[in-house]
Amino acid sequence: MSRLSSIAIKSLLPYGYRSALSQLSKYSIVGHGKLFYSTESPNYRDVLVERAGKRKNVGIIRLNRPKALNALCDNLMQETKHAFATFDDDPEIGCIVFTGIEKAFAAGADIKEMQNATYDFVYKTDYLADWVFIHETKTPIIGAINGYALGGGCEIAMACDILYAGDNAKFGQPEITIGTIPGAGGSQRLTKAVGKSLAMEMILTGVPIDANEAERKGLVSKVFPKETVVDEAIKTAEIIANHSQMATRMCKQAVQTSFNVGLDEGLKYERTIFHATFANYDRREGMTAFVEKRKPNYENK
């Protein structure tokens, strides 16, 4: 059996996770690469949290279980949920980059954590319902994906707003190989992203696609060398973070709504949000700055 096949068979969603960690008081200094700025971050075990950009207004969440190829264990998911909530509540953060290690964004999960779960348990606990925390984060999110994004790893990647892929990325839903189906959005988001035929092929065979095919089919926006994909995501994140946070959040809300409603209803919703921007200070400041031929001074209100 190939190494990829072996990983694919092990790639599924983890066996639940407890509520988000309480705010930790210990901090450590971490830094990665020329675009990163050292900053204080919670003493997580499986996640690295940093700030990036000239104005330090980009949050970085990096999955960091290299020996397990970032398998989505309970602790990793708890820490990820806490990190997203912390950045989403931080008024200085205007965009989040979500990434992993070069070999894997997330290759799946340890099946031992879920193999003995019963229908009674998963039904009564509405198992995986709280995986919506990425989708429900109001701050725009760019996923920078290297290596394997399989099973739950592919699902949490697709929950991001923008996806960039390294040239070594592999996207797949291999749940069928162990007798189950995607449970955190794989059958829904993948179909909307790549269409019915390819989604059916990927989910029914368990065979992943590479970065170039993912770009051709619209699953990711761009492909970069694996060494630079995170830096490229940060560059885009800085552009987004320097806009009005009120406006970027409203833009995100409008686009997300387009996936859930028909065209007529979506157009009405878009107009409602557009009208709402006229209650914002930043809308007036942005238009005034344009007329006066100067840079806007947004206050995110």
Side-chain angles (χ1 to χ4, degrees):
M1 180 181 294
S2 69
R3 184 166 181 266
L4 178 57
S5 297
S6 177
I7 292 171
I9 290 175
K10 296 178 182 178
S11 300
L12 254 188
L13 310 175
Y15 178 70
Y17 54 91
R18 298 175 294 275
S19 59
L21 296 174
S22 58
Q23 182 68 46
L24 300 176
S25 58
K26 294 182 179 180
Y27 295 87
S28 60
I29 300 296
V30 292
H32 295 271
K34 61 184 179 181
L35 291 180
F36 289 91
Y37 291 80
S38 296
T39 184
E40 292 183 339
S41 65
N43 190 24
Y44 296 136
R45 187 185 76 191
D46 297 324
V47 173
L48 298 177
V49 180
E50 311 172 62
R51 293 172 184 265
K54 294 180 180 179
R55 298 168 66 176
K56 300 184 182 180
N57 56 358
V58 175
I60 312 295
I61 299 174
R62 184 188 297 270
L63 305 181
N64 189 46
R65 294 188 70 212
K67 292 183 180 180
L69 295 181
N70 286 341
L72 302 175
C73 66
D74 286 351
N75 185 74
L76 181 147
M77 291 305 296
Q78 292 172 20
E79 292 179 354
T80 302
K81 184 175 183 178
H82 183 270
F84 269 100
T86 300
F87 277 144
D88 205 27
D89 289 338
D90 189 332
E92 296 182 358
I93 297 298
C95 192
I96 298 170
V97 172
F98 188 27
T99 189
I101 58 176
E102 191 171 291
K103 289 184 178 180
F105 172 68
D110 186 352
I111 302 306
K112 292 180 181 179
E113 289 192 341
M114 68 187 321
Q115 69 177 115
N116 294 319
T118 64
Y119 174 75
D120 182 69
F121 168 77
V122 298
Y123 179 76
K124 288 182 177 178
T125 59
D126 200 9
Y127 183 50
L128 298 183
D130 52 358
W131 274 55
V132 297
F133 69 87
I134 297 174
H135 174 76
E136 291 183 346
T137 298
K138 296 177 182 177
T139 304
I141 304 165
I142 302 176
I145 312 301
N146 267 327
Y148 302 113
L150 303 175
C154 188
E155 289 174 310
I156 64 173
M158 291 190 293
C160 297
D161 303 310
I162 300 169
L163 279 183
Y164 286 174
D167 54 14
N168 67 337
K170 301 283 186 182
F171 298 88
Q173 300 292 161
E175 290 86 351
I176 194 69
T177 64
I178 57 172
T180 188
I181 74 168
S187 66
Q188 305 303 302
R189 289 195 173 98
L190 187 62
T191 304
K192 287 180 170 62
V194 306
K196 175 185 174 182
S197 182
L198 181 56
M200 281 287 194
E201 180 181 335
M202 292 174 65
I203 293 171
L204 290 175
T205 66
V207 177
I209 61 174
D210 64 20
N212 290 327
E213 185 170 6
E215 182 184 25
R216 288 196 301 270
K217 299 300 184 180
L219 182 59
V220 305
S221 299
K222 297 177 182 177
V223 176
F224 297 99
K226 62 182 183 296
E227 298 85 2
T228 64
V229 63
V230 175
D231 285 352
E232 294 295 339
I234 292 171
K235 291 177 183 177
T236 300
E238 281 195 273
I239 295 173
I240 294 170
N242 288 336
H243 292 314
S244 162
Q245 289 183 26
M246 291 287 290
T248 58
R249 290 185 174 207
M250 294 169 93
C251 283
K252 174 174 176 172
Q253 185 178 357
V255 174
Q256 283 183 333
T257 299
S258 72
F259 285 91
N260 302 318
V261 301
L263 179 60
D264 288 344
E265 186 176 350
L267 291 172
K268 291 178 182 178
Y269 185 81
E270 179 187 65
R271 266 197 317 278
T272 298
I273 297 298
F274 168 69
H275 294 162
T277 66
F278 282 76
N280 297 342
Y281 168 87
D282 285 352
R283 191 279 314 166
R284 178 181 292 274
E285 167 61 15
M287 291 186 176
T288 301
F290 177 82
V291 171
E292 295 178 354
K293 298 181 180 180
R294 60 174 175 83
K295 290 184 178 181
N297 181 25
Y298 293 127
E299 297 185 12
N300 300 319
K301 64 181 184 179

